[in-house]
C-alpha cells in the first residue's frame, strides 16, 4: 500500500476515524492541544426577558447537557483511541515540554486582555 505523503504529517481531530484517514495515516501523536465545543448562546436581551426561575432552569439544563456531552465525548474518544492503538503507532508526547516552549505566548494576551485569556488558556492546558 502506498501512502500519500500529504497525509503523513498533519493535524487531525479525533474524527480522523469517521473520515477514514487512519487508513492512510501510520502515526498519531495525541497532544490534547485542541478542544472543540458547541456553545450554548442566548442574547442578553432575550435572557433579560426571562423570569429568574426560567433563567435558573436553563442554566441548570445547560450545565447538565454540558456534563453529559463531555462524558459522551470522553467515552467516544477513549473507544476511538483504543481502536487507533490497533491500527496506528500512537504516541503521547510530553505536554510539559510544549507548555514550557510556549510559555512566552501568554504574556501578550495577559496584557492585552487583562489576564483573562491567559488564565483561561492556562486552566485548559493544566
Amino acid at each position: 500500500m502506498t501512502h500519500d505523503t500529504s497525509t503523513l504529517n498533519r493535524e487531525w481531530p479525533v474524527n480522523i476515524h469517521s473520515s477514514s484517514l487512519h487508513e492512510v495515516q501510520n502515526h498519531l501523536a495525541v497532544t490534547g492541544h485542541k478542544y472543540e465545543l458547541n456553545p450554548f448562546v442566548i442574547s442578553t436581551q432575550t435572557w433579560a426577558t426571562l423570569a429568574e426561575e426560567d433563567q435558573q432552569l436553563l442554566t441548570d439544563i445547560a450545565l447538565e447537557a454540558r456534563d453529559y456531552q463531555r462524558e459522551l465525548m470522553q467515552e467516544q474518544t477513549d473507544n476511538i483511541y483504543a481502536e487507533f492503538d490497533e491500527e496506528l503507532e500512537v504516541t503521547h508526547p510530553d505536554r510539559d515540554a510544549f507548555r514550557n516552549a510556549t510559555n512566552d505566548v501568554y504574556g501578550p494576551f495577559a496584557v492585552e486582555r487583562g489576564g483573562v485569556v491567559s488564565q483561561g488558556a492556562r486552566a485548559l492546558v493544566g
Side-chain angles (χ1 to χ4, degrees):
M1 176 180 193
T2 61
H3 294 282
D4 178 354
T5 57
S6 66
T7 63
L8 293 179
N9 199 12
R10 293 233 179 139
E11 175 178 317
W12 302 116
V14 175
N15 70 5
I16 182 177
H17 193 269
S18 64
S19 301
S20 298
L21 293 171
H22 61 287
E23 294 177 1
V24 296
Q25 182 69 27
N26 292 328
H27 299 83
L28 175 67
V30 180
T31 60
H33 69 281
K34 183 176 179 184
Y35 185 82
E36 294 187 25
L37 57 106
N38 293 312
F40 176 78
V41 180
I42 187 168
S43 75
T44 53
Q45 287 179 326
T46 300
W47 186 257
T49 66
L50 300 175
E52 190 173 315
E53 298 82 26
D54 292 335
Q55 290 178 352
Q56 188 60 53
L57 179 63
L58 282 173
T59 299
D60 292 345
I61 290 170
L63 292 173
E64 183 179 334
R66 176 205 62 195
D67 294 344
Y68 181 62
Q69 183 275 337
R70 288 180 180 174
E71 180 182 314
L72 286 178
M73 188 63 190
Q74 187 61 56
E75 182 180 309
Q76 291 171 356
T77 299
D78 291 345
N79 290 338
I80 290 169
Y81 283 149
E83 289 182 37
F84 282 164
D85 282 335
E86 297 174 12
E87 301 168 351
L88 304 170
E89 182 177 332
V90 179
T91 59
H92 299 267
D94 178 9
R95 292 171 62 180
D96 287 335
F98 285 102
R99 286 185 193 106
N100 293 335
T102 59
N103 209 23
D104 293 342
V105 173
Y106 293 103
F109 287 109
V111 171
E112 182 180 329
R113 304 282 186 211
V116 174
V117 173
S118 178
Q119 292 167 10
R122 284 184 186 276
L124 286 174
V125 298

